[in-house]
């Protein structure tokens, strides 16, 4: 059975709106939600980027049953893993049995802000592995000291712990990271329907672990309106290669996306109100081996999007 989630995007929406959208998802036929964790939006047009942990606290009070996970938190630079461990433990206590901590190696866009050097991916993957060791050790609830290659923790103890510790799925955009996710993670998170990622994840030990995917759409009754909205708000979806992880500021993304056309975006983001196109985008991930697919709707018409999916899309894919 495939579970369909609602992706909450902090880069597009303020904290109160995000809590409202989570409430919409909680009352809908969506199975869960995921929420992004950024310091900066991709472009200034998106216009928002609230602190995700404050928003999670608000969502915990606004919802009753919604499962929620970060997608994704980077616990290696901007926020020390010992602080992420405390934040996620608190979120787990606020959302008992309903929270998971999705992690990854991050993007330069949000992680460079303290002036640290942006390491190559292989180093960031090593840092992530050490960070998860710290997080899980602190979740034992005992006084902990840790002196590793990348991090130091001295006499730290987390007192507020949930009864059920959050699972930690790991984001991957290549086979090496996917293999590591299978080895040390509690699941996989990816943004492309790549069977090679699934194979590497299983090779690393992820055979029976959940696989989360994300797909971007832009719902509007008028397809042209949807394409224009997606092009204005989410142009970085059409950027090639590793630019998403390497560009350091929204201004750089704005420069990089100047050449992105509406046609380019229409190829990357499902635009409009044809349910078959939305269903096909989800099934592409399901066919690749994902059992959870979170849908990000570009724009502010989240209530209309939820209604459309409940009526036209979810019955065909859940």
């Amino acid at each position: 059975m495939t579970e369909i989630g609602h992706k909450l995007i902090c880069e597009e929406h303020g904290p109160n709106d995000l809590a409202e959208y989570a409430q919409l998802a909680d009352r809908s036929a969506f199975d869960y939600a995921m929420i992004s964790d950024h310091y900066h939006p991709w472009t200034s047009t998106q216009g928002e980027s609230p602190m995700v942990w404050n928003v999670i606290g608000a969502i915990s009070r606004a919802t009753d049953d919604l499962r929620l996970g970060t997608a994704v938190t980077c616990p290696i630079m901007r926020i020390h893993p010992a602080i992420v461990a405390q934040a996620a433990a608190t979120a787990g206590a606020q959302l008992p049995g309903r929270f998971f901590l999705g992690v990854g190696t991050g993007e330069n866009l949000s992680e460079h802000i303290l002036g640290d050097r942006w390491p190559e991916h292989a180093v960031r993957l090593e840092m992530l592995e050490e960070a998860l060791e710290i997080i899980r050790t602190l979740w034992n609830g005992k006084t902990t000291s840790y002196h590793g290659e990348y991090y130091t923790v001295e006499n730290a103890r987390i007192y507020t712990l949930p009864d059920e510790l959050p699972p930690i799925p790991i984001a991957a955009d290549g086979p090496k990271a996917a293999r590591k996710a299978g080895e040390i993670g509690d699941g996989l998170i990816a943004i492309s329907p790549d069977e090679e990622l699934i194979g590497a994840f299983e090779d690393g030990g992820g055979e029976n672990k959940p696989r989360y995917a994300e797909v971007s759409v832009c719902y509007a009754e008028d397809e042209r309106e949807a394409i224009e909205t997606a092009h204005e708000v989410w142009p970085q979806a059409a950027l090639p290669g590793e630019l998403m992880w390497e560009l350091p500021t929204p201004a750089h993304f704005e420069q990089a996306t100047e050449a992105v056309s509406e046609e380019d975006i229409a190829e990357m983001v499902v635009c409009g109100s044809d349910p078959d196109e939305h269903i096909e985008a989800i099934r592409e991930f399901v066919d690749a081996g994902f059992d959870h697919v979170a849908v990000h709707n570009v724009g502010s018409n989240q209530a209309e999007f939820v209604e459309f999916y409940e009526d036209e899309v979810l019955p065909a894919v859940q």
Side-chain angles (χ1 to χ4, degrees):
M1 176 181 173
T2 303
E3 294 195 356
I4 308 299
H6 186 176
K7 180 67 186 286
L8 305 169
I9 299 291
C10 290
E11 304 92 286
E12 289 185 54
H13 310 292
N16 296 332
D17 287 339
L18 289 163
E20 179 184 334
Y21 300 154
Q23 193 171 60
L24 278 174
D26 187 37
R27 295 171 177 173
S28 75
F30 281 97
D31 296 303
Y32 68 101
M34 300 176 87
I35 187 166
S36 59
D37 179 358
H38 272 230
Y39 195 90
H40 293 138
W42 301 100
T43 68
S44 296
T45 302
Q46 292 163 6
E48 295 284 356
S49 204
M51 180 61 162
V52 72
W53 300 105
N54 302 56
V55 179
I56 289 171
I59 289 173
S60 75
R61 306 305 297 168
T63 62
D64 296 317
D65 302 303
L66 187 70
R67 288 188 290 117
L68 177 69
T70 55
V72 293
T73 291
C74 178
I76 67 172
M77 291 181 64
R78 170 170 49 104
I79 308 178
H80 191 283
I83 306 304
V84 173
Q86 184 188 29
T90 298
Q94 292 174 305
L95 293 155
R98 296 196 281 138
F99 178 72
F100 59 91
L101 174 64
V103 300
T105 55
E107 301 98 12
N108 197 6
L109 173 70
S110 289
E111 304 309 320
H112 77 275
I113 62 166
L114 303 180
D116 298 306
R117 184 182 72 85
W118 181 240
E120 63 182 352
H121 183 261
V123 174
R124 301 201 312 273
L125 199 57
E126 291 175 359
M127 296 171 73
L128 181 64
E129 185 168 7
E130 190 170 305
L132 294 194
E133 184 176 352
I134 289 169
I135 291 168
R136 287 177 168 139
T137 300
L138 284 167
W139 281 355
N140 288 326
K142 300 176 182 178
T143 300
T144 298
S145 292
Y146 183 97
H147 300 278
E149 183 175 355
Y150 300 105
Y151 305 106
T152 297
V153 177
E154 291 190 353
N155 299 316
R157 178 181 172 186
I158 294 177
Y159 281 82
T160 299
L161 288 165
D163 292 334
E164 181 179 334
L165 293 174
I168 309 179
I170 296 176
D173 65 342
K176 184 174 181 180
R179 193 171 295 107
K180 183 61 68 174
E183 178 186 342
I184 66 172
D186 299 316
L188 173 70
I189 300 173
I191 59 173
S192 61
D194 187 345
E195 293 183 13
E196 184 181 6
L197 287 181
I198 297 294
F201 177 63
E202 292 180 344
D203 289 343
E207 295 90 344
N208 299 312
K209 300 176 183 179
R211 302 98 185 268
Y212 294 88
E214 298 177 19
V215 60
S216 291
V217 306
C218 187
Y219 169 73
E221 285 293 335
D222 181 76
E223 182 181 8
R224 173 49 52 185
E225 177 189 346
I227 292 172
E228 290 174 355
T229 298
H231 181 255
E232 178 185 2
V233 177
W234 208 246
Q236 80 282 353
L239 290 181
E242 298 179 4
L243 289 178
M244 294 286 286
W245 329 125
E246 299 298 332
L247 295 180
T249 68
H252 286 94
F253 276 93
E254 288 155 19
Q255 294 169 22
T257 56
E258 284 179 359
V260 172
S261 68
E262 291 184 353
E263 291 72 21
D264 294 331
I265 286 297
E267 290 183 5
M268 302 300 297
V269 177
V270 176
C271 294
S273 58
D274 183 344
D276 290 338
E277 293 185 2
H278 290 258
I279 292 166
E280 181 181 354
I282 291 170
R283 283 183 172 161
E284 189 175 2
F285 283 93
V286 174
D287 291 344
F290 291 90
D291 49 22
H292 295 71
V293 182
V295 184
H296 158 219
N297 178 56
V298 179
S300 59
N301 61 338
Q302 299 298 317
E304 293 87 347
F305 157 74
V306 169
E307 182 178 2
F308 167 67
Y309 260 63
E310 282 200 299
D311 292 343
E312 304 288 344
V313 178
L314 296 182
V317 294
Q318 286 178 316

